[in-house]
């Protein structure tokens, strides 16, 4: 079957990617392999809901055997939390270095912008508007 042959060929591309990057989470920007990985997740979601899908038990087992992550929802949230925590740590280092939390744009433009976004989110939350600032993050600030 030509489709099975093509699936296996791309699976082996994924194995090569994993060997080089230590992950099976290929970004969409990576090209054909990124799209293939995206599609495997979509096929899996249809398969587990009992809908028609290109996912088969054999493919599912092969993907599971290499640690393929089918649901990135939690991982993406935790990655965002890690980035946020990293910025907070950067702000603490800035305070230690310069003795203030008033980040100067000229000294660290990206941290300055992050701080401006945190302030805007806090103001929006304070005024009862929609805000991405979670309670835990607000307390950490």
């Amino acid at each position: 079957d030509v489709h099975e042959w093509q699936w296996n060929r791309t699976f082996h591309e994924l194995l090569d990617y994993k060997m080089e990057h230590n992950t099976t989470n290929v970004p969409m920007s990576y090209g054909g392999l990124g799209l293939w990985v995206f599609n495997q997740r979509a096929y899996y979601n249809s398969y587990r809901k009992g809908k028609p899908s290109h996912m088969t038990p054999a493919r599912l087992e092969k993907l599971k055997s290499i640690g393929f992550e089918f649901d990135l929802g939690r991982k993406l949230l935790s990655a965002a939390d890690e980035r946020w925590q990293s910025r907070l740590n950067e702000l603490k280092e800035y305070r230690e270095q310069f003795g203030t939390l008033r980040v100067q744009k000229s000294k660290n433009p990206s941290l300055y912008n992050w701080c401006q976004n945190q302030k805007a989110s806090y103001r929006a939350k304070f005024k009862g508007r929609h805000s991405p600032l979670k309670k835990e993050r607000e307390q950490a600030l």
Side-chain angles (χ1 to χ4, degrees):
D1 178 9
V2 71
H3 296 291
E4 199 61 31
W5 177 85
Q6 195 170 19
W7 190 93
N8 282 314
R9 191 187 76 197
T10 312
F11 176 79
H12 285 283
E13 281 182 46
L14 179 61
L15 283 174
D16 292 341
Y17 183 92
K18 183 179 181 183
M19 290 292 289
E20 185 177 336
H21 299 93
N22 201 32
T23 183
T24 59
N25 296 328
V26 182
M28 287 285 289
S29 60
Y30 199 77
L33 183 60
L35 178 60
W36 185 85
V37 165
F38 174 84
N39 286 336
Q40 299 315 299
R41 290 190 180 107
Y43 298 153
Y44 170 74
N45 284 328
S46 294
Y47 176 82
R48 71 185 175 95
K49 292 175 184 172
K51 296 180 180 177
S53 169
H54 292 289
M55 185 59 64
T56 66
R59 289 177 178 181
L60 183 58
E61 283 309 308
K62 279 181 113 168
L63 290 168
K64 283 181 177 179
S65 75
I66 64 166
F68 188 88
E69 294 182 66
F70 291 93
D71 182 12
L72 289 182
R74 287 193 181 119
K75 187 170 184 83
L76 292 175
L77 283 175
S78 66
D81 288 338
E82 281 180 32
R83 284 192 306 276
W84 192 90
Q85 189 62 49
S86 175
R87 281 295 191 182
L88 182 62
N89 291 339
E90 190 178 346
L91 179 61
K92 290 175 182 178
E93 290 169 13
Y94 185 95
R95 182 184 60 202
E96 288 193 18
Q97 183 177 1
F98 298 106
T100 182
L101 291 172
R102 292 179 188 264
V103 177
Q104 292 182 13
K105 192 174 189 175
S106 60
K107 288 187 177 158
N108 190 330
S110 65
L111 183 60
Y112 171 85
N113 289 337
W114 182 81
C115 289
Q116 294 303 107
N117 287 334
Q118 301 313 302
K119 289 176 191 177
S121 295
Y122 179 79
R123 282 192 295 271
K125 189 173 185 174
F126 185 73
K127 292 179 180 177
R129 296 194 309 253
H130 172 73
S131 169
L133 189 62
K134 299 178 191 172
K135 189 173 190 86
E136 306 83 48
R137 290 181 177 182
E138 181 184 342
Q139 290 170 345
L141 287 169

